[in-house]
Amino acid sequence: MEHQLQATSVERTESGVTSGLRPWKGQNNWRHSHHLKNVHGILNIIGWGFLLPTGAIVARNFRNFPLKCEEWYQLHTLCQTSGYIIGTVGWGIGIWLGNSSRQYILKPHRILGIIIFTFATLQMLALWLQPKKEDQFRKLWEIYHHVLGYAVIVLSVANIFEGIGNIRSHAAEIWRWFYVGMLIVLALTAVALEMYRWIKSKNQQQMAFDDGQIYASQQI
């Protein structure tokens, strides 16, 4: 009878989230895994989900028009590089979690993560291998850089929500609304800058038209 109880205790422990012969060891392993999952989520949200879109906003709006910032390239590179490093650490933790647990197998989330890391690595290489402005391949490089960059951002946002959807607790809603709030801030910033871009463009067109009218009247 005592042997059966011990065997049952071992089976229950092994059938849980983590395996082990002693309950306290299983609990410690579960807490460690849970902590790593939180770190994985936080790093990916900050790296892939916030810094990369911020870098794209900087490059679009602070290079020449509508706002000119002499340090725009340094800011863009800082956002992209730090986002890549932080996101890669989070991605690596996710890969380790997937490899270390027989129960923690999330194929869509894992596949998207590998694609994002691959595309982001190509983007980082593109930053350091970009041709000079007078190079004939510069235009093709810019198209490649923009398309791949926006693809990484879209896939990152989708995969973050995919990861949040895999959380089996009430914390999922907290994570979801936290990231939705972050996206709202980014979206409002981007929209405000796009509106400013449109208004400034219209004003410049109107000024050019008025100057042309004045010049034409002086020639009569």
Side-chain angles (χ1 to χ4, degrees):
M1 183 66 178
E2 183 180 353
H3 176 73
Q4 289 179 347
L5 288 174
Q6 290 178 351
T8 302
S9 177
V10 171
E11 288 175 0
R12 286 177 180 173
T13 303
E14 290 180 343
S15 64
V17 177
T18 55
S19 61
L21 296 177
R22 297 179 181 178
W24 65 267
K25 185 178 180 180
Q27 282 186 343
N28 285 341
N29 287 341
W30 181 86
R31 287 174 183 172
H32 181 65
S33 176
H34 182 71
H35 175 70
L36 284 179
K37 289 176 186 177
N38 287 336
V39 173
H40 163 73
I42 291 170
L43 292 179
N44 283 337
I45 286 175
I46 294 174
W48 306 126
F50 181 77
L51 288 174
L52 291 190
T54 300
I57 291 173
V58 169
R60 175 165 174 76
N61 296 285
F62 292 87
R63 178 165 43 188
N64 289 310
F65 187 83
L67 299 170
K68 185 173 178 62
C69 176
E70 297 296 334
E71 292 79 23
W72 77 268
Y73 185 76
Q74 288 81 358
L75 290 173
H76 174 65
T77 304
L78 177 63
C79 287
Q80 303 302 90
T81 304
S82 57
Y84 175 77
I85 293 171
I86 294 171
T88 297
V89 174
W91 172 78
I93 293 173
I95 293 294
W96 183 86
L97 285 169
N99 292 337
S100 63
S101 174
R102 288 173 295 181
Q103 291 82 14
Y104 193 68
I105 300 175
L106 307 171
K107 286 186 178 180
H109 188 54
R110 185 185 181 94
I111 292 171
L112 277 175
I114 293 172
I115 293 173
I116 290 166
F117 172 74
T118 303
F119 284 1
T121 301
L122 292 174
Q123 278 292 81
M124 294 305 299
L125 291 174
L127 280 175
W128 302 111
L129 299 176
Q130 58 180 303
K132 296 180 179 180
K133 291 183 178 180
E134 60 273 12
D135 196 291
Q136 59 178 337
F137 296 107
R138 175 73 181 197
K139 191 66 178 178
L140 291 175
W141 177 89
E142 289 180 353
I143 295 172
Y144 153 82
H145 185 59
H146 291 160
V147 171
L148 194 62
Y150 285 116
V152 169
I153 291 172
V154 171
L155 289 174
S156 296
V157 172
N159 203 32
I160 287 170
F161 281 113
E162 174 70 21
I164 292 173
N166 292 323
I167 299 175
R168 296 293 180 261
S169 70
H170 67 280
E173 284 302 308
I174 299 174
W175 283 93
R176 183 175 290 107
W177 285 110
F178 171 76
Y179 188 53
V180 166
M182 190 177 289
L183 287 179
I184 289 174
V185 172
L186 288 171
L188 289 176
T189 302
V191 169
L193 288 169
E194 288 299 324
M195 290 178 63
Y196 180 66
R197 172 189 290 270
W198 182 80
I199 293 171
K200 190 172 182 178
S201 176
K202 287 295 181 181
N203 289 338
Q204 289 183 349
Q205 290 176 8
Q206 185 63 43
M207 289 175 62
F209 177 77
D210 292 342
D211 290 343
Q213 292 290 96
I214 293 172
Y215 178 79
S217 63
Q218 290 175 347
Q219 298 301 313
I220 297 175

